[in-house]
Amino acid sequence: MKRLTYIFALICAFSCKPEAYLGPLDSPVGNWDGVKGEYYFNGEMVAELDTCVITAISFYRQGYCCIEGYKGAYPFIYDSSNGDLQIDSTLWNVTSLTGAEMVMRFIDRIYPDPEPADPEKEESEDSGDKNGFELPVDYKGVTIDSDSFGYYYRNSAGRPVYCNFFGLTYLEGKPSVEFWYDTHTSYFIPLVVEEEKK
């Protein structure tokens, strides 16, 4: 009987591997791979793609993160009690954070106070857009314009809502986009880095 117990223990020892913890995490520290994105404009979902605005992101215990495609490290602050996350000058809310996924919903950017307008400077500036858009542009019932912070439209309260575009192409020399979005939700899974075989 003791021999059978010993054999059973050996079989369990070799066949059972400790599983990764998949419960809720209290910090996003780790490497994450973007797998899906939902894009919204003025409260309406305009696209669901198998790509995110951030394709990969790594959070480090020292309070910095690195974003694929961007140079340098950015400070971040995470509040585990409500999921609020600030990365540099962007605000997010983490709606799910487990060992299996992280879901980040973009909230807004932190914009500096605008500088006082200089009428002489405004007259001398070229009114053309760097991407070739003839502004303002109408999209889904609102008018998109731009200022020194980027593209925006005004909400029902008259406040600017900054937005961006996806899929810029040029047809007959004129810019065309697939869609505009003002917020987005990004889905991530743990990034597995494969070791090189020797």
Side-chain angles (χ1 to χ4, degrees):
M1 184 69 181
K2 286 184 179 179
R3 184 173 177 169
L4 285 174
T5 304
Y6 177 73
I7 292 171
F8 180 73
L10 280 176
I11 291 171
C12 286
F14 287 110
S15 64
C16 298
K17 294 180 181 177
E19 294 186 14
Y21 174 68
L22 300 180
L25 304 178
D26 60 2
S27 168
V29 168
N31 303 309
W32 300 92
D33 186 26
V35 293
K36 186 177 84 167
E38 296 170 349
Y39 299 82
Y40 299 85
F41 186 86
N42 202 13
E44 174 190 348
M45 182 188 281
V46 291
E48 185 174 355
L49 306 175
D50 60 356
T51 182
C52 302
V53 172
I54 297 175
T55 53
I57 188 168
S58 296
F59 292 94
Y60 300 98
R61 293 190 188 283
Q62 294 81 2
Y64 287 90
C65 68
C66 292
I67 301 171
E68 186 173 292
Y70 294 85
K71 290 183 179 179
Y74 300 91
F76 79 90
I77 301 169
Y78 179 66
D79 185 343
S80 60
S81 66
N82 57 20
D84 286 346
L85 171 67
Q86 179 179 340
I87 301 174
D88 194 34
S89 61
T90 60
L91 301 175
W92 303 75
N93 185 259
V94 179
T95 59
S96 176
L97 181 58
T98 69
E101 73 167 0
M102 175 174 64
V103 180
M104 291 172 41
R105 184 171 58 93
F106 176 79
I107 304 297
D108 204 355
R109 291 186 58 86
I110 301 170
Y111 292 96
D113 291 333
E115 295 179 4
D118 184 349
E120 290 180 10
K121 187 177 179 183
E122 286 181 2
E123 287 178 10
S124 65
E125 286 182 350
D126 182 9
S127 61
D129 176 78
K130 65 180 179 180
N131 292 305
F133 294 117
E134 292 182 15
L135 298 173
V137 173
D138 290 329
Y139 182 72
K140 292 195 173 289
V142 299
T143 300
I144 297 172
D145 211 331
S146 70
D147 61 16
S148 60
F149 298 131
Y151 300 105
Y152 72 92
Y153 66 91
R154 294 199 177 274
N155 63 16
S156 58
R159 295 184 178 176
V161 177
Y162 287 91
C163 56
N164 211 333
F165 57 81
F166 182 90
L168 178 64
T169 57
Y170 292 89
L171 303 174
E172 298 178 359
K174 294 183 178 180
S176 176
V177 299
E178 288 184 41
F179 59 85
W180 290 84
Y181 64 94
D182 55 43
T183 189
H184 50 90
T185 299
S186 298
Y187 293 77
F188 298 87
I189 60 172
L191 178 64
V192 178
V193 180
E194 293 185 11
E195 295 182 12
E196 292 183 13
K197 294 181 180 178
K198 295 182 180 179

